[in-house]
Amino acid sequence: MKSQLNTNFSRRNFLKTSVLAGGGMLIGFNFLTACKKEVAMPVDVASLNFNDFNAFIKISDEGYVTIFSPNPEIGQGVKTAMPMIIAEELDADWSKVTVAQGALDTKNFTRQVAGGSQSIRSSWDALRQTGATAKQMLVNAAAAKWNVDASTLKTSKGIITNANGDQLGYGEVVKEAALLEVPENVKLKEIEDFTIIGKDAINVDIDEIITGKPLFGLDYKAEGMAIAVVLRPPAFGQKLVDFDATKAKAVNGVSEVIKFGDKIAVLATSTWAAMKGKKALTANYKDDHPESTENHDKILTDILDGKKFETRREDGNIKQAFATADKVIERTYHSPFLPHNCLEPMNFYADVTADKVHLVGPIQTPQWTVSRVAQLLEREPETIHCEMTRMGGGFGRRLYGDFALEAAEISSLAKKPIKVVFTREDDMTAGTYRPAIKYRIKASLKDGKVTGYYLKEAGINGNMYGAIANFFPAGCIPNFKVDTANYNSNITTGAWRAPYTNFLAFAEQSFFDELATELNIDAIQLRLDLLQNVKSSTDDKIEYSGQRMEDTIKLVREKGNWGNTQEGVFQGFSAYYSHNTHVAEIADIVLKDGFPVVKKVTVAVDCGILVNPTGARNQVEGGVLDGIGHAMYADFSFKDGKPAHKNFDTYRLIRMQETPKVEVYFIENNLSPTGLGEPGLPPAGGAVANAINVALNKRLYSQPFLNELKKSSVLG
């Protein structure tokens, strides 16, 4: 089993320094590739080139440290946590550290992306190495000044102290340090010596956020910029036949109407004028194979009933296990499409000229987006400069960059800088959605044991990927098989927070609850018993740790007071491994007028070392609430290619008074950090569904739960 990510890089080549013309020292570093030998370091901050280095650290003559954080910030906290790692090894005074968002490095940085909960995990070693190397250069400069051995010096909060008690601030030696050779074999701090990592830190953008300072893509403005609002085909599968823009052009403020593909852009001097212009457009479309949710439901069922599958994992002999079983249990689970509903609707700025392309906006995949814009406009990627703003939510929606491509194409046609702005209706109806999925799970029971497990997945436009088929219960059951198949739809789908596992975890954890009932064993004990089987596994495809999952489950069992609740409180349990993190949850629900109300969720998490506990708790709490809300209430469907909902007046989200108390407990260890932006979500639906079964004696097999409870007449 493997649980750690190994990062290999050359210390000699990953970092360069320069003396700034205005004073201070500049350190440029690359995470996963070597610095190019011919690249010279800039001598002023205004000329930082993120095509040469992934990120920069500036140490001023006064000892203030500015860290240019490279990864997109979508609320997951990396703009705070990543600099904390550098500052820890640098031994900086955190109160003197400021953080700025870096622009895109399209050449060197292979993971300047927000997705998959991997930002901290993938850069942990390199960030520590960067801070430690920079500190050693400062120490070496101080040692030369004092003419002493560098090993006799100590550092703390940006101050270097020698054996006599003499002190030098970092700012006092930056000029000398910048001229030294980059040292080899620097020593990293011991985990127990951390003073910044593991301590609560306030989000570095919090003041700007709460005072409404411009940070987000919607805040961005440029001279001469027009606002573009786009009319897209109202149904997936429709093609534009013709349109009339006469009334739209008569709207005060509208400057231009441009057709591109099957879309029509209205350009105006303000967002309001552009929206009014869009409403004044008339357009005719023709249908091309419009799809409906009713059809999808039948198609996915037919796939599960068929025989055309791709096998993702197979252990033992599943057929023999079912043939010799005392009992076979089979269940089918169904999830709907879901929109992402980011608080900040999609938007992007583009200025396309003959010489260059300038892009600015909230994007989770800047490098991929630049490459697609280059292909669209037939430009060299090097001529495209992309700047990232803070994002008002992502959840996977901003991975795809379709809005950035729209902006680039419109700007190219209009020959002026423009910003594409989605209305809330655009945001909810233009895609990209979590795909609808069906799972069919079958298990064989013999002599009180689970002897066989067969999971089939039927998805829209794709299937589970990577190591998901090797997550629990792989390795725990001797006869095991995972098959997948998909249907290609013209409804655009994509990653949605914790892709595939956001629903797979509910299906599997609900199923195991049924198995526990059938075997007359405590639901938690069944998981613990199964995990003993994977502890001795040598299968390197299995990423999760049986021991770490067992410890996590035992912690939540203790903290959640499992089985010892007050009368009228009903509990459900769920545990899941995803994004290299082990999570277990217990949901407490009560019945209010016969309706299940989630009062509390207790969560145990093993994510390795906590960089910023405050940020970590926020991520877990948000994931749990997101998981509960969508599992309980969210439904999204299509009829003749048209989305059933356009705004929050009909689309149901969890409401403030419906959010439960979430108590989060972390396993303490010294293992490298793992993902946190997504792992809290997958177990939430299963924990609530299992609690509802205890309260109402009703098993749930589809989401949202509210619809299924009403259909079964459990609720009026």
Side-chain angles (χ1 to χ4, degrees):
M1 287 173 281
K2 56 183 180 182
S3 59
Q4 300 299 310
L5 179 72
N6 294 319
T7 303
N8 297 313
F9 54 90
S10 164
R11 287 187 294 276
R12 178 172 294 176
N13 294 326
F14 90 108
L15 185 147
K16 288 187 177 183
T17 63
S18 67
V19 178
L20 289 169
M25 172 188 184
L26 188 66
I27 303 164
F29 59 98
N30 285 327
F31 287 6
L32 300 175
T33 58
C35 295
K36 293 168 289 186
K37 292 181 180 178
E38 70 275 14
V39 170
M41 281 288 292
V43 294
D44 63 89
V45 173
S47 59
L48 297 185
N49 185 348
F50 288 87
N51 285 325
D52 294 331
F53 297 92
N54 299 150
F56 295 87
I57 305 170
K58 174 193 169 186
I59 305 176
S60 74
D61 290 343
E62 293 76 30
Y64 287 91
V65 178
T66 303
I67 298 173
F68 296 84
S69 182
N71 272 39
E73 173 63 64
I74 57 174
Q76 81 278 42
V78 294
K79 192 174 174 183
T80 304
M82 295 177 81
M84 287 176 71
I85 300 169
I86 295 175
E88 178 66 70
E89 290 291 349
L90 183 60
D91 253 342
D93 182 348
W94 184 246
S95 67
K96 291 185 175 182
V97 174
T98 57
V99 181
Q101 176 70 65
L104 171 64
D105 168 8
T106 56
K107 280 189 174 179
N108 299 316
F109 195 26
T110 59
R111 205 182 149 69
Q112 198 167 9
V113 56
S117 299
Q118 298 297 303
S119 294
I120 296 295
R121 177 175 176 259
S122 62
S123 55
W124 167 253
D125 291 335
L127 292 172
R128 292 188 67 191
Q129 195 72 37
T130 298
T133 303
K135 180 181 71 177
Q136 189 60 54
M137 295 179 75
L138 294 164
V139 168
N140 290 347
K145 218 168 196 176
W146 283 322
N147 195 26
V148 298
D149 192 310
S151 65
T152 64
L153 305 183
K154 295 181 179 178
T155 57
S156 176
K157 293 189 173 183
I159 302 293
I160 305 166
T161 306
N162 66 22
N164 297 324
D166 302 325
Q167 294 186 331
L168 286 170
Y170 283 176
E172 297 178 83
V173 293
V174 289
K175 291 178 182 176
E176 294 83 355
L179 301 176
L180 297 176
E181 288 286 323
V182 175
E184 292 281 328
N185 302 318
V186 296
K187 184 181 179 182
L188 300 179
K189 294 174 76 170
E190 298 295 332
I191 304 298
E192 54 267 27
D193 293 332
F194 284 171
T195 58
I196 297 175
I197 292 174
K199 303 293 189 298
D200 290 333
I202 297 173
N203 187 309
V204 295
D205 284 337
I206 194 66
D207 288 341
E208 286 82 358
I209 291 172
I210 62 177
T211 56
K213 299 282 178 57
L215 285 173
F216 300 91
L218 283 175
D219 297 321
Y220 187 81
K221 295 178 181 176
E223 187 175 351
M225 178 185 84
I227 298 293
V229 175
V230 178
L231 179 68
R232 303 169 183 83
F236 289 90
Q238 283 189 327
K239 302 292 183 185
L240 178 65
V241 176
D242 54 42
F243 70 101
D244 185 350
T246 305
K247 293 182 179 177
K249 289 180 178 178
V251 173
N252 186 28
V254 170
S255 58
E256 204 169 347
V257 176
I258 297 174
K259 173 184 176 297
F260 62 111
D262 292 309
K263 305 172 186 176
I264 307 162
V266 177
L267 276 60
T269 53
S270 70
T271 305
W272 179 243
M275 289 180 178
K276 286 183 68 178
K278 177 188 168 185
K279 285 185 177 178
L281 285 172
T282 57
N284 296 305
Y285 301 89
K286 63 179 179 182
D287 290 334
D288 185 12
H289 304 297
E291 299 181 22
S292 299
T293 294
E294 188 176 358
N295 304 125
H296 292 145
D297 189 64
K298 182 179 184 308
I299 289 168
L300 294 179
T301 298
D302 289 345
I303 289 174
L304 291 177
D305 291 339
K307 296 182 179 179
K308 294 182 179 179
F309 291 96
E310 178 183 351
T311 297
R312 303 277 175 160
R313 183 183 175 96
E314 185 170 13
D315 300 328
N317 188 331
I318 198 75
K319 288 184 178 178
Q320 186 176 18
F322 290 129
T324 58
D326 296 332
K327 187 169 186 175
V328 173
I329 297 176
E330 180 179 286
R331 299 289 184 265
T332 301
Y333 300 84
H334 177 216
S335 71
F337 290 93
L338 287 181
H340 295 78
N341 293 325
C342 302
L343 186 60
E344 180 193 22
M346 300 303 109
N347 63 88
F348 221 79
Y349 168 86
D351 184 12
V352 179
T353 66
D355 301 325
K356 63 178 178 60
V357 178
H358 185 198
L359 305 173
V360 184
I363 184 72
Q364 289 179 256
T365 51
Q367 185 172 349
W368 184 43
T369 299
V370 164
S371 68
R372 293 167 70 205
V373 169
Q375 186 176 14
L376 173 71
L377 301 179
E378 297 182 344
R379 301 290 187 94
E380 293 298 323
E382 291 76 12
T383 66
I384 301 174
H385 177 67
C386 182
E387 296 177 40
M388 294 171 289
T389 63
R390 191 179 178 92
M391 303 177 214
F395 315 117
R397 177 63 183 93
R398 296 187 204 276
L399 288 169
Y400 298 98
D402 48 290
F403 41 88
L405 269 68
E406 286 185 352
E409 187 169 4
I410 296 168
S411 176
S412 178
L413 293 170
K415 301 187 185 310
K416 65 172 65 170
I418 64 98
K419 183 165 73 174
V420 163
V421 175
F422 280 44
T423 63
R424 176 57 64 191
E425 288 79 5
D426 293 335
D427 207 69
M428 197 173 286
T429 59
T432 298
Y433 305 99
R434 181 184 83 168
I437 288 183
K438 279 182 183 282
Y439 289 106
R440 183 167 293 163
I441 311 177
K442 186 176 179 180
S444 58
L445 307 179
K446 187 173 180 61
D447 299 330
K449 304 288 185 184
V450 183
T451 56
Y453 187 89
Y454 182 26
L455 182 142
K456 291 193 287 186
E457 177 188 82
I460 300 284
N461 292 339
N463 291 110
M464 67 171 72
Y465 58 92
I468 294 176
N470 302 295
F471 291 176
F472 177 87
C476 295
I477 300 172
N479 305 294
F480 179 91
K481 189 175 184 181
V482 175
D483 280 348
T484 64
N486 78 87
Y487 165 74
N488 291 322
S489 167
N490 56 26
I491 295 172
T492 53
T493 60
W496 190 95
R497 194 173 189 176
Y500 295 98
T501 60
N502 56 54
F503 183 71
L504 174 60
F506 152 72
E508 289 193 319
Q509 291 299 304
S510 296
F511 188 72
F512 273 98
D513 225 55
E514 278 206 67
L515 296 184
T517 301
E518 187 65 34
L519 293 169
N520 194 27
I521 183 173
D522 176 77
I524 287 182
Q525 192 59 49
L526 174 62
R527 272 81 157 191
L528 293 176
D529 290 345
L530 288 169
L531 285 169
Q532 306 314 308
N533 300 329
V534 79
K535 288 182 177 177
S536 58
S537 174
T538 57
D539 184 350
D540 61 7
K541 292 181 180 177
I542 295 179
E543 293 182 348
Y544 74 96
S545 162
Q547 186 60 57
R548 294 179 74 173
M549 183 58 88
E550 178 180 331
D551 293 343
T552 306
I553 290 173
K554 287 182 175 177
L555 178 61
V556 84
R557 181 171 65 180
E558 173 199 343
K559 300 296 185 183
N561 204 25
W562 176 252
N564 295 297
T565 58
Q566 296 177 344
E567 186 177 353
V569 177
F570 307 95
Q571 292 188 314
F573 168 80
S574 177
Y576 205 72
Y577 165 90
S578 70
H579 305 87
N580 311 99
T581 294
H582 303 74
V583 182
E585 299 178 10
I586 291 174
D588 289 6
I589 73 167
V590 298
L591 296 177
K592 187 175 181 180
D593 300 326
F595 187 87
V597 176
V598 185
K599 299 297 290 182
K600 187 178 82 170
V601 179
T602 307
V603 188
V605 183
D606 182 350
C607 60
I609 295 169
L610 280 182
V611 177
N612 180 7
T614 294
R617 280 192 297 274
N618 288 343
Q619 287 299 306
V620 175
E621 290 170 358
V624 169
L625 297 181
D626 209 9
I628 293 173
H630 285 94
M632 284 289 292
Y633 307 109
D635 192 14
F636 203 82
S637 58
F638 297 86
K639 186 173 183 180
D640 296 329
K642 294 183 180 179
H645 305 284
K646 295 182 178 179
N647 210 323
F648 297 127
D649 56 334
T650 60
Y651 181 78
R652 181 78 157 88
L653 288 172
I654 191 169
R655 295 164 182 160
M656 189 65 76
Q657 69 270 24
E658 294 165 338
T659 57
K661 179 180 181 182
V662 180
E663 290 184 355
V664 184
Y665 301 89
F666 292 98
I667 296 282
E668 295 183 8
N669 60 41
N670 289 339
L671 300 172
S672 296
T674 56
L676 259 188
E678 295 164 275
L681 187 151
V688 172
N690 293 333
I692 289 174
N693 177 64
V694 176
L696 298 173
N697 191 30
K698 168 64 182 173
R699 287 288 177 193
L700 298 169
Y701 299 104
S702 65
Q703 294 182 356
F705 300 155
L706 186 63
N707 287 7
E708 189 171 359
L709 289 169
K710 287 181 176 178
K711 286 178 183 175
S712 63
S713 301
V714 173
L715 298 179

